[in-house]
Amino acid sequence: MNELEKAESDCAKKAELVKSLEKQLADAKAAYAKASSTLEELKRLKSLEENRKRIALTEDTLSDWLEEKFPWSAQLKSLLKEKFKFDHFRAKQLAAINATLSKKDVLLVMPTGGGKSLVFQLPALIDPGFTLVVTPLVSLIQDQLVALEKFKIEAATIHASTSKSEIKEIYDSMTSKKSALKLLYVTPEWIARSKKFMSVLKKCYEAKRVARVAIDEVHCCSTWGHDFRPDYPYLGLVRSLLEKVPFLGLTATATMSVLNDVQTMLNLENCLIITAPFNRPNLFYQVLPKPATKDGVLNYLEKLMTEKYAGQSGIIYTNTINECISLATALKGSNLRVAPFHAQLEPEQKKKIHRKWLDNTYQAVVATVAFGMGIDKPDVRFVIHHVIPRSMESLYQESGRAGRDGKRADCIVLFSLNDYLKISAMSTSLVEEKKAQQVLEYCVERLRCRRSIIATYFEQVWETSDCNKMCDICKRDVKIPAYYDLTQICKDLHSLIDQAKGFDEKLTLIKLIDAWYQAGLKKFRLSNVEKPKMSKEHAELVIAFLLLEKYLAIDKGYTMYSTVSYIVKGRAVGDEKVEMLASDGMKIPKRLKEEGDGSPAKKKPRTD
Ligand SMILES: Nc1ncnc2c1ncn2[C@@H]1O[C@H](COP(=O)(O)OP(=O)(O)OP(=O)(O)O)[C@@H](O)[C@H]1O
């Protein structure tokens, strides 16, 4: 071997070595990434478990907090009756009040309308100094101030629109020992922006004037929640500034992950977590297929409002401002007394619409999420989601505005897969997508009680009896459910998708359904694909099921102006038997197992 050949072979060996080392490095990096994500997940699970234990422990010791042994017990009772005019405390109100008055940090999870405000308003009257209340919306603060004025309780607010002279006056009453100020409401934005406020607050703390800090809608701290607000994390600074002041976080919806996040951000690791009963037994939960055409939807809503809910009050939720305006206009066109409510309305218009809804001039408000916090009308008999909500939190919270008087009320979701695809296309993060998918699962479900799906989501334990046939699934009372064989349908849909691929094209839901029903462009149709005998609404339900089971998938395409969702083949292969639990009135060919034939058919497990 000459010298050149030797050098070449040496070089080749070294290159091999480099390649192998690079591979080893890449493998090690991948293993490291996997190990760190496992570690993170395990840490998260550990703290979730600790939280669960803490809730259990709080439950065990809850009776201690309900006793009448506290120095303030007699005063509490008389203030409840004389100031607030209530006869009794509601579930968990008293425990939370005694705990916070005992200077414990508390996270209180109580459903909408449960009575969270009393839990900081009443202790504010017992302790010297004032309670700092952080609330995300100025409109909510105004509502509370009006109520407190009636009770003759001294309260004030500072936010971006408060005048300089008012701010000065409030700063003086915060620091003055002679002041009667009991509750000071601020927005998180004010805390994040005003250094002067923080320095006044520090002075008050040193003078022992801050009795407690109450943070309303505390789930807004967490990016896991449905309503993250960027100014909420600044509250961590308030916590370190007011080290010895008890904190009280209040929310209507918080999963264990959200509570975990909140605790970390506010340094509330050792707080008591008090959860009030989550179930709203008077609410009837229901999912209905949304009529395929706009006129169909309008006729349906009109019929509901003029017949079933004639003379009754309700809310119709939509997802975008455009939808909200056009639906309200169309319903008004049918002589229904409705008004749109969305974020772009002037505060005065919002107030006017809210007032007219409260006095029943309007039968219903057609609303976006902007119609949310602080809505406290007792006799709302129906909440209809005209478009599926974006998350289980929204579903629970928005539905929860119905039936606050404890009487029966209906919570209806109108399901359309196309609406889901639009939400999924607009999602800006994986978390948002996951949340929308959880709602899709809720809508497609045919077997499990709707209440139990909500309860599982919020990590609550509910028995079937908690539902008491107050959801469409439990009400059906089908003992042995029917299953349909979707194997051929799955193959047909795959063939149609392949057919379009042959033209180098992808199918949107509408095009796929058209091709399936032998309509739309001829080139996408297949003569050997049988036209479905079920309605198009049910066809959407079947496709939704196949999406959830991964026999189909969504592929997003981006244009200059929008995102388009295409339906493509999923990871799961449709060769094996694909079964779906029957839907009422669904007519799918090749019915595999008849209702009541005794065979305990099983839903096919996911293959991923
Ligand atoms: N102990 C009680 N007895 C009777 N009514 C009560 C009691 N506590 C609160 N309420 C009433 O219940 C309604 C809801 O109270 P509140 O607004 O504090 O609820 P919330 O839990 O803050 O609801 P949201 O999450 O929607 O803001 C109010 O009308 C309030 O006056």
Side-chain angles (χ1 to χ4, degrees):
M1 202 185 274
N2 65 27
E3 222 169 297
L4 178 64
E5 284 169 340
K6 242 174 147 186
E8 272 176 350
S9 132
D10 197 28
C11 201
K13 273 187 203 152
K14 296 264 157 51
E16 260 322 289
L17 185 63
V18 169
K19 225 172 159 185
S20 129
L21 287 175
E22 274 173 352
K23 179 157 183 338
Q24 279 182 38
L25 183 65
D27 288 349
K29 274 187 181 168
Y32 173 72
K34 199 170 165 202
S36 6
S37 87
T38 311
L39 180 67
E40 283 309 309
E41 183 56 13
L42 287 174
K43 274 189 194 167
R44 197 178 71 83
L45 291 176
K46 187 170 169 245
S47 57
L48 290 185
E49 194 45 43
E50 278 166 7
N51 268 352
R52 266 190 205 108
K53 279 189 195 144
R54 192 168 306 135
I55 290 177
L57 200 70
T58 311
E59 285 293 316
D60 286 349
T61 56
L62 209 64
S63 53
D64 294 350
W65 298 112
L66 292 170
E67 284 182 20
E68 299 200 357
K69 61 179 181 187
F70 298 96
W72 49 80
S73 291
Q75 202 186 349
L76 271 189
K77 248 185 171 173
S78 69
L79 281 170
L80 182 75
K81 285 207 168 149
E82 280 146 35
K83 269 273 181 211
F84 293 91
K85 318 277 180 230
F86 299 143
D87 292 331
H88 312 280
F89 285 107
R90 283 187 181 160
K92 310 284 167 89
Q93 274 181 330
L94 181 59
I97 288 174
N98 280 329
T100 187
L101 281 169
S102 306
K103 311 247 176 291
K104 292 268 175 207
D105 293 322
V106 176
L107 277 183
L108 176 64
V109 186
M110 194 179 253
T112 34
K116 290 183 280 297
S117 318
L118 188 79
V119 175
F120 56 83
Q121 288 174 349
L122 188 40
L125 302 186
I126 290 178
D127 278 329
F130 65 89
T131 294
L132 178 70
V133 187
V134 183
T135 299
L137 297 179
V138 177
S139 60
L140 282 188
I141 296 179
Q142 306 294 13
D143 289 349
Q144 296 240 340
L145 291 187
V146 170
L148 290 167
E149 209 179 322
K150 274 194 219 149
F151 297 142
K152 299 200 170 48
I153 297 171
E154 190 86 10
T157 176
I158 314 182
H159 50 75
S161 335
T162 316
S163 70
K164 277 191 180 156
S165 60
E166 275 177 289
I167 294 176
K168 179 162 182 329
E169 235 174 74
I170 295 168
Y171 283 171
D172 287 347
S173 59
M174 282 167 75
T175 43
S176 160
K177 286 211 156 110
K178 287 186 196 137
S179 131
L181 181 70
K182 284 286 131 202
L183 290 141
L184 174 64
Y185 287 80
V186 293
T187 55
E189 290 78 16
W190 184 258
I191 289 187
R193 272 176 227 152
S194 173
K195 291 202 169 59
K196 170 76 180 162
F197 176 75
M198 291 298 266
S199 84
V200 175
L201 197 59
K202 188 158 192 273
K203 247 195 227 165
C204 295
Y205 174 60
E206 284 160 358
K208 298 198 170 31
R209 294 267 308 133
V210 190
R212 112 183 356 87
V213 176
I215 303 177
D216 206 4
E217 314 288 351
V218 76
H219 60 272
C220 296
C221 283
S222 166
T223 42
W224 271 103
H226 59 301
D227 209 4
F228 170 68
R229 285 172 184 245
D231 289 320
Y232 261 76
Y234 281 94
L235 300 178
L237 291 181
V238 180
R239 172 72 175 167
S240 37
L241 186 76
L242 312 179
E243 219 183 334
K244 294 192 176 123
V245 173
F247 267 55
L248 170 64
L250 308 116
T251 176
T253 49
T255 59
M256 215 52 86
S257 320
V258 170
L259 288 182
N260 235 29
D261 245 16
V262 168
Q263 280 171 284
T264 313
M265 271 176 182
L266 300 180
N267 192 11
L268 292 174
E269 271 81 7
N270 292 316
C271 67
L272 283 174
I273 303 177
I274 299 180
T275 56
F278 208 71
N279 187 12
R280 302 274 309 276
N282 58 318
L283 299 188
F284 186 88
Y285 294 98
Q286 189 173 13
V287 178
L288 293 167
K290 185 172 181 175
T293 62
K294 263 190 182 172
D295 281 348
V297 177
L298 275 182
N299 290 340
Y300 181 70
L301 291 176
E302 191 185 332
K303 203 165 150 42
L304 279 182
M305 289 177 68
T306 52
E307 293 176 16
K308 188 168 183 194
Y309 303 119
Q312 296 182 345
S313 181
I315 309 173
I316 303 174
Y317 276 106
T318 57
N319 270 355
T320 64
I321 295 179
N322 282 345
E323 275 166 1
C324 169
I325 296 172
S326 67
L327 181 63
T329 311
L331 290 172
K332 269 194 224 168
S334 303
N335 288 327
L336 292 167
R337 290 174 292 108
V338 298
F341 189 106
H342 53 78
Q344 279 173 8
L345 294 178
E346 294 298 323
E348 270 316 306
Q349 277 175 297
K350 284 187 188 165
K351 264 191 206 161
K352 198 170 130 194
I353 292 169
H354 190 185
R355 210 178 42 243
K356 285 190 164 185
W357 176 67
L358 285 176
D359 69 17
N360 296 323
T361 309
Y362 293 133
Q363 182 184 4
V365 171
V366 180
T368 62
V369 279
F371 194 63
M373 294 172 182
I375 301 301
D376 187 21
K377 188 173 198 285
D379 59 347
V380 176
R381 296 274 73 85
F382 62 94
V383 169
I384 300 174
H385 280 94
H386 162 260
V387 177
I388 63 168
R390 289 170 197 273
S391 65
M392 290 301 284
E393 284 93 344
S394 308
L395 172 86
Y396 176 75
Q397 208 157 37
E398 288 162 2
S399 302
R401 308 219 157 91
R404 279 169 169 241
D405 54 7
K407 295 183 190 154
R408 183 191 155 120
D410 293 340
C411 309
I412 302 173
V413 176
L414 293 182
F415 170 70
S416 139
L417 182 58
N418 219 15
D419 288 342
Y420 165 74
L421 293 175
K422 279 189 206 156
I423 293 172
S424 159
M426 285 192 291
S427 303
T428 52
S429 68
L430 283 176
V431 174
E432 273 182 30
E433 262 184 44
K434 177 89 193 132
K435 284 182 176 294
Q437 195 185 318
Q438 283 155 339
V439 178
L440 180 67
E441 285 169 17
Y442 172 86
C443 293
V444 172
E445 181 64 52
R446 311 297 314 155
L447 187 60
R448 267 192 316 153
C449 157
R450 304 244 184 248
R451 253 188 184 70
S452 96
I453 304 173
I454 300 175
T456 310
Y457 181 78
F458 290 107
E459 291 141 348
Q460 303 269 320
V461 184
W462 285 353
E463 306 297 329
T464 324
S465 55
D466 288 327
C467 184
N468 199 20
K469 299 196 178 174
M470 283 293 281
C471 82
D472 51 354
I473 304 232
C474 294
K475 198 177 166 214
R476 271 186 337 194
D477 206 15
V478 176
K479 296 223 167 38
I480 302 162
Y483 283 82
Y484 290 94
D485 186 352
L486 296 185
T487 317
Q488 188 55 46
I489 281 180
C490 188
K491 282 186 183 156
D492 286 350
L493 292 171
H494 280 189
S495 305
L496 291 168
I497 290 166
D498 285 340
Q499 168 77 358
K501 208 173 170 188
F503 292 101
D504 210 16
E505 290 199 43
K506 285 186 219 160
L507 297 176
T508 57
L509 176 70
I510 293 174
K511 283 190 180 163
L512 176 64
I513 291 186
D514 273 352
W516 195 14
Y517 279 77
Q518 305 286 354
L521 288 179
K522 277 211 173 105
K523 64 176 182 177
F524 293 144
R525 303 183 203 166
L526 282 173
S527 55
N528 59 346
V529 166
E530 196 182 336
K531 190 174 163 180
K533 293 190 177 60
M534 63 189 133
S535 70
K536 287 197 179 169
E537 287 89 352
H538 278 122
E540 280 198 20
L541 203 63
V542 167
I543 294 176
F545 173 80
L546 293 173
L547 277 171
L548 286 174
E549 294 296 314
K550 311 253 185 292
Y551 290 103
L552 294 174
I554 298 170
D555 187 18
K556 286 189 194 174
Y558 301 92
T559 69
M560 285 270 280
Y561 308 102
S562 64
T563 310
V564 186
S565 297
Y566 298 105
I567 307 287
V568 294
K569 281 160 76 171
R571 271 183 282 152
V573 190
D575 291 345
E576 325 120 49
K577 193 183 286 171
V578 187
E579 289 182 343
M580 181 191 178
L581 194 62
S583 174
D584 303 331
M586 193 156 94
K587 290 187 188 64
I588 298 179
K590 298 203 180 79
R591 201 164 160 172
L592 191 74
K593 292 183 176 76
E594 295 295 328
E595 215 164 271
D597 71 350
S599 31
K602 281 193 193 80
K603 191 169 138 184
K604 199 194 158 299
R606 289 182 185 199
T607 48
D608 58 331

